[in-house]
Amino acid sequence: LDFSRHREPEFEIMNVNDVIEEVLLLIEIQAIFQNIEIVRKLGLDLPSIKGDRSQLQQVFMNLAINAAEAMKGEGKLTIATAFRGEVVITFADTGLGIAPENRDKIFEPFFTTRSDKGGSGLGLAISHGIITGHGGTISFTSKVNEGTSFTVRLPVNTT
């Protein structure tokens, strides 16, 4: 529904680490995360960004839940932030990885490998749209049976 009902972002100045911590407070208590080690490697000197808090929460929550499902509720999720001319956020899991034949379709609307489990195929497509709308990029690397790492790059606040 969000995909069809695009709303204009409400931008504010924020620290990405705060948004990530807000998301982790919500997800760490979920059953699927009980056997997942969440490792925080949050950069201490991140500059502020200009973003829509709820939209970025949606992206980070989607990445974390996808990781938990890829790990079948067991493994390690490492969330890292750093400043490299832009704010770089990484969600790396120790899950199943993304099959090579699916990699070109991963951000397409309605593409899912979990239709039997209620997956709509909209999470990554929406996340891609949100990050692009923030002037950023989202990409991934993956190795089958070793895990996947999603990287979000966002521009720093220049105003």
Side-chain angles (χ1 to χ4, degrees), residues 1-35:
L1 288 175
D2 269 346
F3 192 73
S4 63
R5 239 189 353 239
H6 178 72
R7 74 166 178 81
E8 286 302 312
E10 297 175 18
F11 289 104
E12 62 181 274
I13 306 301
M14 68 184 73
N15 184 296
V16 166
N17 289 345
D18 295 339
V19 180
I20 290 169
E21 288 293 352
E22 291 162 4
V23 168
L24 291 177
L25 279 173
L26 294 172
I27 64 169
E28 284 179 319
I29 59 173
Q30 301 298 316
I32 195 167
F33 286 93
Q34 294 310 300
N35 293 316

Side-chain angles (χ1 to χ4, degrees), residues 34-67:
Q34 294 310 300
N35 293 316
I36 293 175
E37 177 188 1
I38 298 177
V39 178
R40 292 166 170 85
K41 294 184 177 180
L42 305 181
L44 299 176
D45 58 349
L46 288 186
S48 296
I49 65 159
K50 195 175 201 179
D52 181 299
R53 183 174 296 274
S54 67
Q55 286 187 349
L56 292 175
Q57 287 172 337
Q58 182 178 355
V59 170
F60 301 152
M61 187 168 301
N62 182 63
L63 293 176
I65 290 170
N66 283 358

Side-chain angles (χ1 to χ4, degrees), residues 46-49 82-88 153-158:
L46 288 186
S48 296
I49 65 159
F83 175 63
R84 295 188 195 114
E86 59 194 345
V87 175
V88 180
R153 297 176 184 277
L154 293 168
V156 297
N157 176 37
T158 56

Side-chain angles (χ1 to χ4, degrees), residues 23 27 32-33 36 58-74 76-77 91-98 106-107 111-114 117-128 138 140 147-150:
V23 168
I27 64 169
I32 195 167
F33 286 93
I36 293 175
Q58 182 178 355
V59 170
F60 301 152
M61 187 168 301
N62 182 63
L63 293 176
I65 290 170
N66 283 358
E69 290 175 351
M71 293 185 285
K72 299 186 179 197
E74 293 184 357
K76 180 164 70 170
L77 172 61
F91 281 70
D93 67 55
T94 57
L96 300 173
I98 300 168
I106 207 77
F107 294 113
F111 174 75
T112 183
T113 58
R114 297 189 325 252
K117 297 178 183 118
S120 67
L122 289 175
L124 286 173
I126 291 170
S127 295
H128 184 272
I138 183 170
F140 68 93
T148 301
S149 178
F150 277 87

